[in-house]
Amino acid sequence: MRSERDARGWSQADAVRVMRAKSSHNLPTDSTLLRNWRRWESGESRPDDFYAPIIAAAFDTVTAAFFPKARPNRDDELLSATGMDTLEFIGRLRMSDVSAATLDAIRITAERLCCEYPYADPHDLHTEGTAWLRRITSLLDGRLTLAQHREILVLAGWVALLVGCVDYDLGRRTTAEATRRAAYSLGQEAENPEITGWSAEMAAWFALTQGNYRGAIEAAEPALQASQNLGVGVQLSAQKAKALARLGERKAVEDALDNGRAILERLDHPTNLDNHFVVDPQKFDFYAMDCCRVAGEDRKAETYAREVIRNSTRADGTVRNPMRVSEAHLTLAVVAVRGRDLELAVNEGMQAFAGKRRSLPSLMWIAGEAAREIIERFPGDPRTRVYLDQLRSLSAE
């Protein structure tokens, strides 16, 4: 355009006037046409299908000759259609109403909430987690960069997973499942395999504690394929192993546990062991404990249970992971009753029930399995009734 205009000795204003003379359409003002012409000549944008024939006519030629389409530039066409120059277009993509400090604060808060899961009051944690989930998702209504949009989806996904876990701990099955599915959708939209993997792990956990062992396996297996290099893959393997143990498939249990161990070996040691969605090597004893107890390998189950209690207790005697410790005491109760020591079994069970932080479905599931062992061996003993009465009082909470 510039060389043709220079060959004719025209200024840009002259070219605009010729355009107007050659056009049969009503064109914008001269100032608007002149501004567009400068963009076209500078290469900032490309004349669209409306202007190209008029410009070609101004230079006494045809559109196809003046604007050959052998190698169209899609970016130029897009920018032309928007009416924005390149800098303005890219600038809009980079605009945001959310500061880096705000995102940092949300990251820290999401991490804190996930770290408080093992010991915080579940009602308080649920209230705070829900409030933060509402705040985080409200940011999606504002102006965000593409990177910020994805990160907010990820942060919302983690908090939704946490809220879903607490919902289930409190016995709110329907709400927990709805929240789990919402977290899965956020993970899919953010293309985050860890969030979708943990959503599948929760589905397996829900099925497992409700006695749907085949359902637990079906929930875990598809996600396992995409989680062989992620921490959640360890947890998925463990849930699968727990279900298989209750189906009596001992070889498959070992295979599932071996797969979990192999994933752990490939992972770096986590920097924050308090986060509920971080799988640490010590937690593997917790998984193996459950499988050994169900398989009747009492000595191994007892060893794992004592390791779980030791690793979950701080030097000052406070308990870091009370829910793990409760299940370890129930394991010791089962081992004791199998050894015909009902007194010890009931004492271990009472210690399990004494914990203030509990996941009610998980606790009732394992405590129920222990109850069947006690009833089978000591059906009429008064101490059996003491255990069962305490178990019933928990279910009524």
Side-chain angles (χ1 to χ4, degrees), residues 289 300-310 328 331-332:
M289 172 191 76
K300 283 186 178 181
E302 181 179 0
T303 299
Y304 281 128
R306 298 200 184 283
E307 280 297 301
V308 168
I309 293 171
R310 185 179 65 82
T331 293
L332 293 175

Side-chain angles (χ1 to χ4, degrees), residues 74-309:
R74 302 302 300 171
D75 291 337
D76 284 349
E77 291 176 12
L78 176 61
L79 291 172
S80 174
T82 64
M84 294 186 288
D85 62 30
T86 304
L87 292 178
E88 182 183 0
F89 187 77
I90 299 302
R92 289 201 179 190
L93 290 178
R94 291 174 177 165
M95 284 181 176
S96 174
D97 295 328
V98 179
S99 68
T102 296
L103 276 179
D104 283 340
I106 295 173
R107 287 187 206 104
I108 292 169
T109 300
E111 177 87 358
R112 174 180 62 80
L113 291 171
C114 292
C115 289
E116 290 179 358
Y117 173 78
Y119 60 84
D121 180 275
H123 297 280
D124 293 342
L125 187 59
H126 186 274
T127 298
E128 187 176 7
T130 303
W132 272 104
L133 185 57
R134 188 178 300 112
R135 293 186 190 110
I136 294 169
T137 54
S138 69
L139 296 177
L140 295 171
D141 296 329
R143 185 170 49 184
L144 301 168
T145 67
L146 295 176
Q148 286 178 334
H149 182 84
R150 184 178 185 278
E151 181 163 13
I152 288 170
L153 290 174
V154 169
L155 291 169
W158 287 120
V159 177
L161 288 171
L162 174 71
V163 171
C165 287
V166 179
D167 271 325
Y168 197 69
D169 289 342
L170 293 170
R172 303 167 181 169
R173 289 185 182 181
T174 302
T175 306
E177 174 60 16
T179 309
R180 183 197 69 79
R181 293 189 182 203
Y184 179 79
S185 295
L186 289 166
Q188 276 195 315
E189 189 172 351
E191 298 180 340
N192 187 296
E194 284 190 288
I195 292 175
T196 55
W198 277 104
S199 176
E201 189 275 341
M202 286 171 65
W205 172 38
F206 295 175
L208 197 60
T209 53
Q210 293 170 38
N212 181 8
Y213 305 132
R214 291 294 179 192
I217 295 168
E218 289 178 7
E221 283 185 335
L224 260 173
Q225 298 174 13
S227 305
Q228 289 297 303
N229 293 304
L230 301 173
V232 68
V234 181
Q235 191 103 350
L236 286 162
S237 296
Q239 301 293 27
K240 180 180 176 181
K242 288 181 181 181
L244 289 165
R246 285 159 176 84
L247 293 171
E249 300 181 25
R250 298 187 66 166
K251 177 61 171 64
V253 170
E254 285 302 318
D255 290 343
L257 289 175
D258 285 345
N259 184 64
R261 291 188 189 98
I263 296 173
L264 265 177
E265 291 294 339
R266 291 194 290 269
L267 299 176
D268 294 330
H269 196 279
T271 56
N272 185 359
L273 297 180
D274 294 328
N275 191 314
H276 176 62
F277 299 108
V278 169
V279 178
D280 61 286
Q282 292 178 351
K283 198 173 182 181
F284 208 79
D285 289 346
F286 177 67
Y287 307 140
M289 172 191 76
D290 180 271
C291 294
C292 289
R293 183 189 69 248
V294 174
E297 298 178 10
D298 293 344
R299 293 187 63 181
K300 283 186 178 181
E302 181 179 0
T303 299
Y304 281 128
R306 298 200 184 283
E307 280 297 301
V308 168
I309 293 171

